Amino acid sequence: MHGRRRQQEREPTQDELQQAKQRVDRYRTLNSHVMDLKATSVSTNDALDATKRLLEQNTELHTVWNYRRTIFTSLDEWQCQDTRQEMLDGELKFLLGIITKNIKSYWMWNHRMWALSSLPRPEWQRELGLVAKLLALDARNYHGWDYRRFVVAQLKDAATDKHEVDTQEFAFTTEQINHDCANHSAWHNRSKLLPEILAQRDEDGQLEVLQTENDLILNAIYTDPDDQNAWLYYDWLLDIQKSDEDRSRLLRNKIAAIREL
């Protein structure tokens, strides 16, 4: 930072270099072992443990995630619903343990989707609460938001009141945008939900929703006029209007906002 003297980086000691070399050697040995198991199509609990130890060190090995799924589905225990539930509950706990180490890992989120979808008795509402906590660690993580849409879709499929699911998720995006108006992922998720929200309302209700959207956008623009997310959402909102009257009203509001900046 300005005004602070830059601290000189300390050179690692010989012991530290030796320890780092040993860690690399152990990783390479484990990686080779797992690749050998995969090449010979070994599907045992020992192979499952080996992939777990490797993925704990590197979550970006998509071939190992694929191999791990193959092992699971090849085990005799997989055929028993209760045992499969127990196995995958353990897998979800394993994933939760490593997710904070690399929350942006696409392959890890993809594997979690598979695990939840393969559970005989998934608890989607609990998973939604967990995703909210994970997004609190990185609110703009688009992998996490994509996963959240997946979970919400499962909840919606099973819900008797599908509109309520949309309404609650719409409220969640409002909360996230009010917390950080530069959260592109929250704006994007909102754009996916708004057509559903409008379809649930009569004409007066739609006008009320559009006014709320206008207020939200203007608040974001006045908070950070240089951030492009609210402006892009405003353009998108104009494009989806079916009524010339609604489009004109929103456009007048946008012009007024620009003049006030």
Side-chain angles (χ1 to χ4, degrees), residues 161-174 193 196-197 200-201:
D161 187 351
K162 300 184 187 303
H163 297 331
E164 180 62 21
V165 177
D166 289 333
T167 300
Q168 290 178 359
E169 191 63 7
F170 197 66
F172 180 77
T173 65
T174 304
L193 292 163
E196 296 293 335
I197 298 296
Q200 299 165 19
R201 306 291 200 276

Side-chain angles (χ1 to χ4, degrees), residues 95-137:
L95 288 167
L96 186 58
I98 64 173
I99 200 170
T100 53
K101 296 179 181 177
N102 186 6
I103 200 170
K104 297 183 186 298
S105 173
Y106 166 79
W107 305 111
M108 183 189 59
W109 286 108
N110 182 65
H111 187 74
R112 193 170 182 90
M113 286 184 187
W114 169 83
L116 260 295
S117 300
S118 301
L119 271 171
R121 298 179 297 277
E123 297 185 40
W124 295 110
Q125 192 63 52
R126 184 181 69 177
E127 190 69 9
L128 187 65
L130 175 62
V131 179
K133 292 179 180 179
L134 292 174
L135 284 176
L137 299 175

Side-chain angles (χ1 to χ4, degrees), residues 49-78:
D49 180 66
T51 61
K52 179 179 179 180
R53 287 186 284 115
L54 182 57
L55 290 167
E56 284 174 334
Q57 299 181 54
N58 185 354
T59 61
E60 295 304 301
L61 300 173
H62 68 277
T63 56
V64 180
W65 287 115
N66 291 339
Y67 176 39
R68 187 168 177 81
R69 288 191 286 274
T70 299
I71 296 172
F72 268 118
T73 57
S74 299
L75 293 172
D76 292 339
E77 304 95 290
W78 184 262

